[in-house]
Amino acid sequence: MKLEPSASKALCSTDASRAQQFNELFEADKNRLYRYIYASVWNTSAADDIFQETSLTLWNEFSKFELGSDFSKWATCIAFNRIRAYKRKQNKYQLGLEDDLLQEFSNNLSVLEENTVPQETRWRYLEHCHSLLSPPMQEIYQYFYNHNLMAQEIADQSGRSIYAIRKAIHKLRKKLFDCVEQKISGDEK
């Protein structure tokens, strides 16, 4: 069967539109979906694999998804089934999560998510708090977190004692933690 050129163009534009709809829905939900999977298996490698399988299934089954319905709920159901399959395949239960407990956890996930600050928001707060640090503290942050240098290496490069660097790192962590927590508390009010 040969499609007329106009029918072929219409089919392509429909497919492109459907792909764009999938991308928009998936991009908006992928971080939450990954967190759900990771919270269920507590293993980064397994979570990555399950997320990949879930993503492929979502894409392959998207034609069955009814636009206008809850994409997050649909994606979570598919992820839940992938998690169960993974656990059966492993023939063991991570953290002793039986299917019933896993189902209850899945059912209550929305309540948990409503009561937590999204990771993206925390990163944004951390960036803001980082910008408030003094230049010497920003330099230590840069060495320690961005360049992954050990305290001794920072001490050697800066000419300060290792004890001074350790104290500065401790002070840096506390300052950033307090600042982020203060921003979160301010949002909740």
Side-chain angles (χ1 to χ4, degrees):
M1 178 174 131
K2 188 173 182 180
L3 289 175
E4 295 295 320
S6 61
S8 177
K9 285 180 185 177
L11 187 60
C12 289
S13 68
T14 302
D15 289 345
S17 173
R18 194 77 173 162
Q20 182 179 358
Q21 290 169 334
F22 174 81
N23 284 336
E24 289 172 5
L25 292 168
F26 183 74
E27 284 297 317
D29 196 51
K30 70 180 183 182
N31 292 331
R32 182 208 58 83
L33 185 61
Y34 184 85
R35 287 190 309 266
Y36 166 73
I37 293 168
Y38 183 80
S40 299
V41 296
W42 289 93
N43 178 306
T44 304
S45 178
D48 290 347
D49 291 345
I50 294 168
F51 180 75
Q52 184 72 27
E53 291 172 11
T54 301
S55 300
L56 285 172
T57 302
L58 290 171
W59 171 250
N60 290 333
E61 301 292 321
F62 191 65
S63 62
K64 297 176 185 173
F65 175 71
E66 187 176 319
L67 290 175
S69 60
D70 190 346
F71 182 83
S72 292
K73 189 173 185 177
W74 180 66
T76 301
C77 288
I78 290 174
F80 175 76
N81 289 328
R82 291 289 175 188
I83 293 164
R84 284 179 39 192
Y86 164 78
K87 289 182 181 249
R88 283 191 192 108
K89 185 178 176 185
Q90 295 300 310
N91 198 20
K92 62 182 175 183
Y93 290 97
Q94 307 262 337
L95 297 175
L97 292 178
E98 300 289 338
D99 278 348
D100 294 340
L101 182 59
L102 185 59
Q103 180 68 48
E104 186 174 332
F105 173 75
S106 180
N107 292 341
N108 293 320
L109 186 63
S110 60
V111 174
L112 292 171
E113 288 177 341
E114 288 172 9
N115 295 327
T116 60
V117 177
Q119 189 64 34
E120 297 83 23
T121 303
R122 287 181 180 273
W123 282 115
R124 211 171 47 252
Y125 290 161
L126 180 61
E127 286 174 15
H128 171 76
C129 294
H130 175 265
S131 70
L132 300 176
L133 293 173
S134 66
M137 287 299 247
Q138 285 186 2
E139 185 178 28
I140 290 174
Y141 180 95
Q142 196 77 352
Y143 285 137
F144 193 73
Y145 289 107
N146 294 351
H147 300 296
N148 295 320
L149 296 180
M150 303 298 283
Q152 184 62 57
E153 294 170 310
I154 298 170
D156 292 344
Q157 285 188 5
S158 67
R160 296 170 66 186
S161 73
I162 189 166
Y163 302 108
I165 296 298
R166 286 182 179 158
K167 188 174 182 178
I169 292 170
H170 177 73
K171 185 177 177 182
L172 171 72
R173 285 179 176 157
K174 178 151 179 41
K175 221 175 213 193
L176 290 173
F177 179 82
D178 290 346
C179 178
V180 169
E181 288 301 309
Q182 184 178 6
K183 300 271 303 160
I184 290 170
S185 296
D187 281 356
E188 291 174 354
K189 291 180 182 177

